[in-house]
Amino acid sequence: MRERHDFFSDNTAGICPEALAAFAAANAGFVPSYGADRLTAQAADAVRALLDADAEVRFVSTGTVANAIACATLCPSAGAVLAYEQAHILIHEAGAPSFFGGGLEIEPLAGIDSRIEPAALDHALARPRGPHERRPAALSLTNATEYGTVYDEAMLARLCGPAKDAGLGIHLDGARLANAVAAGFDPRALTRAGIDIVVLGGSKAGAPFSEAIVLLDTSLARGFDERLTRSGQLTSKMRLLAAPWIGLLDGAGDDCPWIAHARHANAMARRLADGLPFARAYPVESNAVFVTMDGARESALAARGWRFARFEDRSARFVCSWATSKEAVDALIADARDIG
């Protein structure tokens, strides 16, 4: 089997040069532990500048723990978090939100192209619930979504407005928020929409192992560090979690690597989508391409060394990253066309 480029996930790429340089630089010398250092403060300032928000920022090691802690912060153990029916927190996190939240439940909502259908949210908020049912306490959104689509500001406002009016807290899973921003989403819209906690994805954007939990509602910071400690996420060498963000967010606005690399990944996905001889299963709006493909073609591509994923709806997913090259995309397209 020939070794070919991996389109299984943007997690399979290594560390981007800017994050790696910042990580290496942070390794020098001695600094205070547990985030009481200037590098962690500098990284938090960079995140605040990106979102144009006076927020509390904490750094953790994985997106799963970031989402789980966020949900647990917003939802009591007897409550429910409303989320898209194939949301990552429901399908791919092994019950972590429930574990960290003492038994909270994720209530699935229907959607179109991986975006929650407003009518489904309205119904969940309005329907009567008896004493034996859980009551919604939070809404969780994902941007870019699990199927690569992007909420624009109007879509976000349409969902967040009723949720806030009903007293729900709002969490946004931004594992691929960089790709949504590169597609035109304004990160400052998160504050305007009334979102309480945002998870900013670093790992998929080129960091080694770092996600940022951004508490846009700063009142949630009370007791939050204790929650991190109990979760094993108040890291002693916090500077090494924080420093990659200094590299990722260095530069003005859209020129920072976090967005520039995502813009490249999105462009590679569009190039791939335009060239593949398969029907698209979802609109290509960020860095993922979903297509319909039979088992014979899947096996033929795998035999030529290509890795990609089958998703819950049985579509085939190809994900581009900061490291995806035009040459790799064109080689995959050529092989896909060759197998017919």
Side-chain angles (χ1 to χ4, degrees):
M1 180 186 295
R2 292 177 290 167
E3 186 68 25
R4 308 305 295 268
H5 189 92
D6 194 318
F7 288 86
F8 188 84
S9 171
D10 35 9
N11 282 327
T12 62
I15 307 171
C16 71
E18 299 87 352
L20 185 59
F23 182 84
N27 193 48
F30 301 86
V31 304
S33 302
Y34 300 107
D37 63 277
R38 63 173 182 81
L39 291 175
T40 301
Q42 182 181 345
D45 283 343
V47 171
R48 283 188 278 266
L50 172 74
L51 303 182
D52 191 23
D54 182 18
E56 291 284 340
V57 181
R58 301 293 188 271
F59 300 98
V60 297
S61 59
T62 73
T64 294
V65 78
N67 288 331
I69 291 173
C71 290
T73 300
L74 295 174
C75 183
S77 60
V81 177
L82 305 178
Y84 173 60
E85 60 193 354
Q86 293 189 34
H88 202 274
I89 61 169
L90 179 60
I91 302 295
H92 290 120
E93 295 185 354
S98 180
F99 175 77
F100 281 83
L104 68 81
E105 185 176 273
I106 310 296
E107 182 176 323
L109 300 180
I112 298 174
D113 290 338
S114 195
R115 290 178 286 242
I116 292 172
E117 177 64 29
L121 173 63
D122 293 343
H123 175 74
L125 294 175
R127 74 174 180 83
R129 295 175 187 254
H132 303 293
E133 294 183 273
R134 293 175 184 255
R135 298 184 182 278
L139 170 67
S140 179
L141 303 168
T142 308
N143 208 19
T145 71
E146 284 76 14
Y147 284 91
T149 54
V150 174
Y151 285 101
D152 63 24
E153 184 170 357
M155 294 173 180
L156 210 62
R158 172 61 182 85
L159 297 172
C160 292
K164 297 300 285 187
D165 290 344
L168 274 62
I170 303 177
H171 155 251
L172 187 128
D173 178 353
R176 295 187 175 95
L177 184 60
N179 301 97
V181 172
F185 179 77
D186 184 351
R188 296 170 296 182
L190 301 173
T191 301
R192 294 193 289 266
I195 290 171
D196 298 291
I197 304 181
V198 178
V199 175
L200 243 60
S203 299
K204 291 177 172 61
F209 42 75
S210 183
E211 315 294 301
I213 302 178
V214 186
L215 305 175
L216 293 172
D217 178 355
T218 56
S219 70
L220 297 173
R222 291 194 296 271
F224 196 78
D225 288 334
E226 290 79 4
R227 189 183 293 274
L228 291 179
T229 301
R230 292 197 303 273
S231 305
Q233 288 295 316
L234 191 64
T235 305
S236 59
K237 297 184 180 180
M238 188 66 73
R239 59 172 166 163
L240 297 178
L241 278 181
W245 286 96
I246 297 174
L248 287 174
L249 297 179
D250 183 36
D254 289 352
D255 290 330
C256 75
W258 188 72
I259 299 175
H261 286 318
R263 188 182 302 114
H264 168 79
N266 291 2
M268 291 301 97
R270 289 192 297 272
R271 185 184 186 94
L272 181 61
D274 289 343
L276 285 177
F278 309 125
R280 298 180 192 178
Y282 298 95
V284 179
E285 298 178 359
S286 59
N287 65 321
V289 180
F290 289 82
V291 300
T292 56
M293 180 192 305
D294 61 32
R297 289 177 174 84
E298 177 180 4
S299 297
L301 281 179
R304 297 190 183 205
W306 298 106
R307 290 189 73 238
F308 50 94
R310 282 284 188 185
F311 246 50
E312 280 70 29
D313 67 344
R314 301 309 299 157
S315 62
R317 185 189 76 167
F318 298 81
V319 185
C320 298
S321 73
W322 70 268
T324 303
S325 67
K326 291 180 180 179
E327 291 76 15
V329 169
D330 292 344
L332 173 55
I333 290 170
D335 276 356
R337 291 177 175 175
D338 186 52
I339 66 174

CSV table of all heavy atoms in Angstrom, one decimal, residues 14-58:
chain,number,residue,atom,x,y,z
A,14,GLY,N,0.1,17.4,12.0
A,14,GLY,CA,1.0,17.7,13.1
A,14,GLY,C,0.8,19.2,13.6
A,14,GLY,O,-0.3,19.8,13.4
A,15,ILE,N,1.7,19.7,14.3
A,15,ILE,CA,1.7,21.0,14.8
A,15,ILE,C,2.1,22.0,13.8
A,15,ILE,O,3.1,21.8,13.1
A,15,ILE,CB,2.6,21.2,16.1
A,15,ILE,CG1,2.3,20.0,17.1
A,15,ILE,CG2,2.4,22.5,16.7
A,15,ILE,CD1,3.2,20.0,18.2
A,16,CYS,N,1.3,23.1,13.6
A,16,CYS,CA,1.7,24.1,12.6
A,16,CYS,C,3.0,24.9,13.1
A,16,CYS,O,3.2,24.9,14.3
A,16,CYS,CB,0.6,25.0,12.3
A,16,CYS,SG,0.2,26.2,13.6
A,17,PRO,N,3.8,25.4,12.2
A,17,PRO,CA,5.0,26.0,12.5
A,17,PRO,C,4.9,27.1,13.6
A,17,PRO,O,5.7,27.2,14.5
A,17,PRO,CB,5.5,26.6,11.2
A,17,PRO,CG,4.9,25.8,10.2
A,17,PRO,CD,3.5,25.4,10.7
A,18,GLU,N,3.9,28.0,13.5
A,18,GLU,CA,3.7,29.1,14.4
A,18,GLU,C,3.5,28.6,15.9
A,18,GLU,O,4.0,29.1,16.8
A,18,GLU,CB,2.6,30.0,14.0
A,18,GLU,CG,2.8,30.6,12.6
A,18,GLU,CD,2.4,29.8,11.4
A,18,GLU,OE1,2.0,28.6,11.7
A,18,GLU,OE2,2.4,30.3,10.3
A,19,ALA,N,2.6,27.6,16.0
A,19,ALA,CA,2.3,27.0,17.3
A,19,ALA,C,3.5,26.3,17.9
A,19,ALA,O,3.8,26.4,19.1
A,19,ALA,CB,1.1,26.1,17.2
A,20,LEU,N,4.2,25.6,17.0
A,20,LEU,CA,5.4,24.8,17.5
A,20,LEU,C,6.5,25.8,17.9
A,20,LEU,O,7.1,25.5,19.0
A,20,LEU,CB,5.9,24.0,16.3
A,20,LEU,CG,7.1,23.0,16.7
A,20,LEU,CD1,6.7,22.1,17.8
A,20,LEU,CD2,7.5,22.2,15.5
A,21,ALA,N,6.7,26.9,17.2
A,21,ALA,CA,7.7,27.8,17.6
A,21,ALA,C,7.4,28.5,19.0
A,21,ALA,O,8.2,28.6,19.9
A,21,ALA,CB,7.9,28.9,16.6
A,22,ALA,N,6.1,28.8,19.2
A,22,ALA,CA,5.7,29.4,20.4
A,22,ALA,C,5.8,28.4,21.6
A,22,ALA,O,6.2,28.7,22.7
A,22,ALA,CB,4.2,29.9,20.3
A,23,PHE,N,5.4,27.2,21.3
A,23,PHE,CA,5.5,26.1,22.3
A,23,PHE,C,7.0,25.9,22.7
A,23,PHE,O,7.3,25.8,23.9
A,23,PHE,CB,5.0,24.8,21.7
A,23,PHE,CG,5.0,23.6,22.6
A,23,PHE,CD1,4.0,23.4,23.5
A,23,PHE,CD2,6.0,22.7,22.6
A,23,PHE,CE1,4.0,22.4,24.4
A,23,PHE,CE2,6.0,21.6,23.4
A,23,PHE,CZ,5.0,21.4,24.3
A,24,ALA,N,7.9,25.9,21.7
A,24,ALA,CA,9.3,25.7,22.1
A,24,ALA,C,9.9,26.8,22.9
A,24,ALA,O,10.6,26.7,23.8
A,24,ALA,CB,10.1,25.5,20.8
A,25,ALA,N,9.5,28.0,22.5
A,25,ALA,CA,9.9,29.2,23.2
A,25,ALA,C,9.5,29.2,24.6
A,25,ALA,O,10.2,29.7,25.5
A,25,ALA,CB,9.5,30.5,22.5
A,26,ALA,N,8.3,28.7,24.9
A,26,ALA,CA,7.7,28.7,26.2
A,26,ALA,C,8.4,27.7,27.1
A,26,ALA,O,8.3,27.8,28.3
A,26,ALA,CB,6.2,28.4,26.2
A,27,ASN,N,9.1,26.8,26.5
A,27,ASN,CA,9.8,25.7,27.3
A,27,ASN,C,11.0,26.2,28.0
A,27,ASN,O,11.6,25.6,28.9
A,27,ASN,CB,10.2,24.6,26.4
A,27,ASN,CG,10.5,23.3,27.1
A,27,ASN,OD1,9.9,22.9,28.0
A,27,ASN,ND2,11.7,22.7,26.7
A,28,ALA,N,11.5,27.4,27.7
A,28,ALA,CA,12.7,27.9,28.3
A,28,ALA,C,12.5,28.6,29.7
A,28,ALA,O,11.4,29.2,29.9
A,28,ALA,CB,13.4,29.0,27.4
A,29,GLY,N,13.4,28.4,30.6
A,29,GLY,CA,13.4,29.1,31.8
A,29,GLY,C,12.4,28.5,32.8
A,29,GLY,O,11.8,27.4,32.7
A,30,PHE,N,12.1,29.3,33.9
A,30,PHE,CA,11.3,28.9,35.0
A,30,PHE,C,10.2,30.0,35.1
A,30,PHE,O,10.5,31.1,35.2
A,30,PHE,CB,12.1,28.8,36.3
A,30,PHE,CG,13.2,27.8,36.2
A,30,PHE,CD1,14.4,28.1,35.7
A,30,PHE,CD2,13.0,26.4,36.6
A,30,PHE,CE1,15.4,27.2,35.6
A,30,PHE,CE2,14.0,25.5,36.5
A,30,PHE,CZ,15.2,25.9,36.0
A,31,VAL,N,9.0,29.5,35.3
A,31,VAL,CA,7.8,30.5,35.4
A,31,VAL,C,6.9,29.9,36.5
A,31,VAL,O,6.9,28.7,36.8
A,31,VAL,CB,7.1,30.7,34.1
A,31,VAL,CG1,8.0,31.2,33.0
A,31,VAL,CG2,6.3,29.4,33.7
A,32,PRO,N,6.0,30.7,37.1
A,32,PRO,CA,5.0,30.2,38.0
A,32,PRO,C,4.1,29.2,37.4
A,32,PRO,O,3.9,29.1,36.2
A,32,PRO,CB,4.2,31.5,38.4
A,32,PRO,CG,5.2,32.6,38.2
A,32,PRO,CD,6.0,32.2,36.9
A,33,SER,N,3.6,28.3,38.3
A,33,SER,CA,2.8,27.2,37.8
A,33,SER,C,1.3,27.6,37.8
A,33,SER,O,0.9,28.6,38.3
A,33,SER,CB,3.0,26.0,38.8
A,33,SER,OG,4.3,25.6,38.8
A,34,TYR,N,0.5,26.7,37.2
A,34,TYR,CA,-1.0,26.7,37.2
A,34,TYR,C,-1.6,28.0,36.6
A,34,TYR,O,-2.6,28.4,37.0
A,34,TYR,CB,-1.5,26.5,38.7
A,34,TYR,CG,-1.1,25.2,39.3
A,34,TYR,CD1,-0.1,25.1,40.3
A,34,TYR,CD2,-1.6,24.0,38.8
A,34,TYR,CE1,0.3,23.9,40.8
A,34,TYR,CE2,-1.2,22.8,39.4
A,34,TYR,CZ,-0.2,22.7,40.3
A,34,TYR,OH,0.2,21.5,40.9
A,35,GLY,N,-0.9,28.5,35.6
A,35,GLY,CA,-1.4,29.6,34.9
A,35,GLY,C,-1.1,31.0,35.4
A,35,GLY,O,-1.6,32.0,34.9
A,36,ALA,N,-0.3,31.1,36.5
A,36,ALA,CA,0.1,32.4,37.1
A,36,ALA,C,1.3,32.9,36.4
A,36,ALA,O,2.2,33.5,37.1
A,36,ALA,CB,0.2,32.2,38.6
A,37,ASP,N,1.4,32.8,35.1
A,37,ASP,CA,2.6,33.2,34.4
A,37,ASP,C,2.2,34.2,33.3
A,37,ASP,O,1.0,34.3,32.8
A,37,ASP,CB,3.3,32.0,33.8
A,37,ASP,CG,2.4,31.3,32.8
A,37,ASP,OD1,1.6,30.5,33.2
A,37,ASP,OD2,2.6,31.5,31.6
A,38,ARG,N,3.2,34.9,32.8
A,38,ARG,CA,2.9,36.0,31.8
A,38,ARG,C,2.5,35.4,30.4
A,38,ARG,O,1.7,36.0,29.7
A,38,ARG,CB,4.1,36.9,31.6
A,38,ARG,CG,5.3,36.2,31.0
A,38,ARG,CD,6.5,37.1,30.7
A,38,ARG,NE,7.6,36.4,30.2
A,38,ARG,CZ,7.7,36.0,28.9
A,38,ARG,NH1,6.7,36.3,28.0
A,38,ARG,NH2,8.8,35.4,28.4
A,39,LEU,N,3.0,34.2,30.1
A,39,LEU,CA,2.6,33.6,28.8
A,39,LEU,C,1.1,33.2,28.8
A,39,LEU,O,0.4,33.4,27.8
A,39,LEU,CB,3.5,32.4,28.5
A,39,LEU,CG,5.0,32.6,28.2
A,39,LEU,CD1,5.7,31.3,28.1
A,39,LEU,CD2,5.1,33.5,27.0
A,40,THR,N,0.6,32.6,29.9
A,40,THR,CA,-0.8,32.3,29.9
A,40,THR,C,-1.6,33.5,29.9
A,40,THR,O,-2.7,33.6,29.2
A,40,THR,CB,-1.1,31.5,31.2
A,40,THR,OG1,-0.3,30.3,31.2
A,40,THR,CG2,-2.5,31.1,31.3
A,41,ALA,N,-1.2,34.6,30.5
A,41,ALA,CA,-1.9,35.9,30.5
A,41,ALA,C,-1.9,36.4,29.1
A,41,ALA,O,-2.9,37.0,28.6
A,41,ALA,CB,-1.3,36.8,31.5
A,42,GLN,N,-0.7,36.3,28.4
A,42,GLN,CA,-0.6,36.8,27.0
A,42,GLN,C,-1.5,36.1,26.1
A,42,GLN,O,-2.2,36.7,25.2
A,42,GLN,CB,0.8,36.7,26.6
A,42,GLN,CG,1.1,37.3,25.2
A,42,GLN,CD,2.5,37.2,24.7
A,42,GLN,OE1,3.4,36.9,25.6
A,42,GLN,NE2,2.8,37.3,23.5
A,43,ALA,N,-1.6,34.8,26.2
A,43,ALA,CA,-2.5,34.0,25.4
A,43,ALA,C,-3.9,34.3,25.6
A,43,ALA,O,-4.7,34.4,24.7
A,43,ALA,CB,-2.2,32.5,25.6
A,44,ALA,N,-4.3,34.5,26.9
A,44,ALA,CA,-5.7,34.9,27.2
A,44,ALA,C,-6.0,36.2,26.6
A,44,ALA,O,-7.1,36.4,26.1
A,44,ALA,CB,-5.9,34.9,28.7
A,45,ASP,N,-5.1,37.2,26.7
A,45,ASP,CA,-5.3,38.5,26.1
A,45,ASP,C,-5.6,38.4,24.6
A,45,ASP,O,-6.4,39.1,24.0
A,45,ASP,CB,-4.2,39.4,26.3
A,45,ASP,CG,-4.1,39.9,27.8
A,45,ASP,OD1,-5.2,39.9,28.4
A,45,ASP,OD2,-3.1,40.4,28.2
A,46,ALA,N,-4.8,37.5,23.9
A,46,ALA,CA,-5.0,37.3,22.5
A,46,ALA,C,-6.4,36.7,22.1
A,46,ALA,O,-7.0,37.1,21.1
A,46,ALA,CB,-3.9,36.3,22.0
A,47,VAL,N,-6.9,35.8,23.0
A,47,VAL,CA,-8.2,35.3,22.7
A,47,VAL,C,-9.2,36.4,23.0
A,47,VAL,O,-10.2,36.5,22.2
A,47,VAL,CB,-8.4,34.1,23.7
A,47,VAL,CG1,-9.9,33.7,23.6
A,47,VAL,CG2,-7.5,32.9,23.3
A,48,ARG,N,-9.1,37.1,24.0
A,48,ARG,CA,-10.0,38.2,24.2
A,48,ARG,C,-10.0,39.2,23.1
A,48,ARG,O,-11.1,39.7,22.7
A,48,ARG,CB,-9.7,39.0,25.5
A,48,ARG,CG,-10.1,38.2,26.8
A,48,ARG,CD,-9.9,39.0,28.0
A,48,ARG,NE,-8.5,39.0,28.5
A,48,ARG,CZ,-8.1,38.1,29.4
A,48,ARG,NH1,-8.9,37.2,29.9
A,48,ARG,NH2,-6.8,38.1,29.8
A,49,ALA,N,-8.9,39.5,22.5
A,49,ALA,CA,-8.8,40.4,21.4
A,49,ALA,C,-9.5,39.8,20.2
A,49,ALA,O,-10.2,40.6,19.4
A,49,ALA,CB,-7.3,40.7,21.1
A,50,LEU,N,-9.3,38.5,19.9
A,50,LEU,CA,-10.0,37.9,18.8
A,50,LEU,C,-11.5,38.0,18.9
A,50,LEU,O,-12.1,38.3,17.9
A,50,LEU,CB,-9.6,36.4,18.8
A,50,LEU,CG,-10.3,35.5,17.8
A,50,LEU,CD1,-9.8,35.8,16.3
A,50,LEU,CD2,-10.2,34.0,18.1
A,51,LEU,N,-12.0,37.8,20.1
A,51,LEU,CA,-13.5,37.9,20.2
A,51,LEU,C,-14.0,39.3,20.6
A,51,LEU,O,-15.2,39.5,20.7
A,51,LEU,CB,-13.9,36.9,21.3
A,51,LEU,CG,-13.5,35.4,21.1
A,51,LEU,CD1,-14.0,34.5,22.2
A,51,LEU,CD2,-14.0,34.9,19.8
A,52,ASP,N,-13.1,40.2,20.8
A,52,ASP,CA,-13.4,41.5,21.3
A,52,ASP,C,-14.3,41.5,22.5
A,52,ASP,O,-15.4,42.1,22.5
A,52,ASP,CB,-14.1,42.3,20.1
A,52,ASP,CG,-14.2,43.8,20.4
A,52,ASP,OD1,-13.5,44.3,21.3
A,52,ASP,OD2,-15.1,44.5,19.8
A,53,ALA,N,-13.9,40.7,23.5
A,53,ALA,CA,-14.7,40.5,24.6
A,53,ALA,C,-13.9,40.5,25.9
A,53,ALA,O,-12.8,40.1,25.9
A,53,ALA,CB,-15.4,39.1,24.5
A,54,ASP,N,-14.5,41.0,26.9
A,54,ASP,CA,-13.9,41.0,28.3
A,54,ASP,C,-14.3,39.7,28.9
A,54,ASP,O,-15.2,39.7,29.7
A,54,ASP,CB,-14.4,42.2,29.1
A,54,ASP,CG,-13.8,42.3,30.5
A,54,ASP,OD1,-12.8,41.7,30.7
A,54,ASP,OD2,-14.4,43.0,31.3
A,55,ALA,N,-13.6,38.7,28.6
A,55,ALA,CA,-13.9,37.3,29.0
A,55,ALA,C,-12.9,36.7,29.9
A,55,ALA,O,-11.7,37.2,29.9
A,55,ALA,CB,-14.1,36.5,27.8
A,56,GLU,N,-13.3,35.7,30.6
A,56,GLU,CA,-12.3,34.9,31.4
A,56,GLU,C,-11.9,33.7,30.5
A,56,GLU,O,-12.8,33.1,29.8
A,56,GLU,CB,-12.9,34.3,32.7
A,56,GLU,CG,-13.2,35.4,33.7
A,56,GLU,CD,-11.9,35.8,34.4
A,56,GLU,OE1,-10.9,35.1,34.4
A,56,GLU,OE2,-11.9,36.9,35.0
A,57,VAL,N,-10.6,33.4,30.4
A,57,VAL,CA,-10.1,32.4,29.5
A,57,VAL,C,-9.3,31.4,30.3
A,57,VAL,O,-8.5,31.7,31.1
A,57,VAL,CB,-9.2,33.0,28.4
A,57,VAL,CG1,-8.7,31.9,27.4
A,57,VAL,CG2,-10.0,34.1,27.6
A,58,ARG,N,-9.6,30.1,30.0
A,58,ARG,CA,-8.8,29.0,30.6
A,58,ARG,C,-8.4,28.0,29.5
A,58,ARG,O,-9.1,27.9,28.5
A,58,ARG,CB,-9.7,28.2,31.6
A,58,ARG,CG,-10.2,29.1,32.8
A,58,ARG,CD,-9.1,29.6,33.7
A,58,ARG,NE,-9.6,30.3,34.8
A,58,ARG,CZ,-9.9,31.6,34.9
A,58,ARG,NH1,-9.7,32.4,33.8
A,58,ARG,NH2,-10.3,32.1,36.0
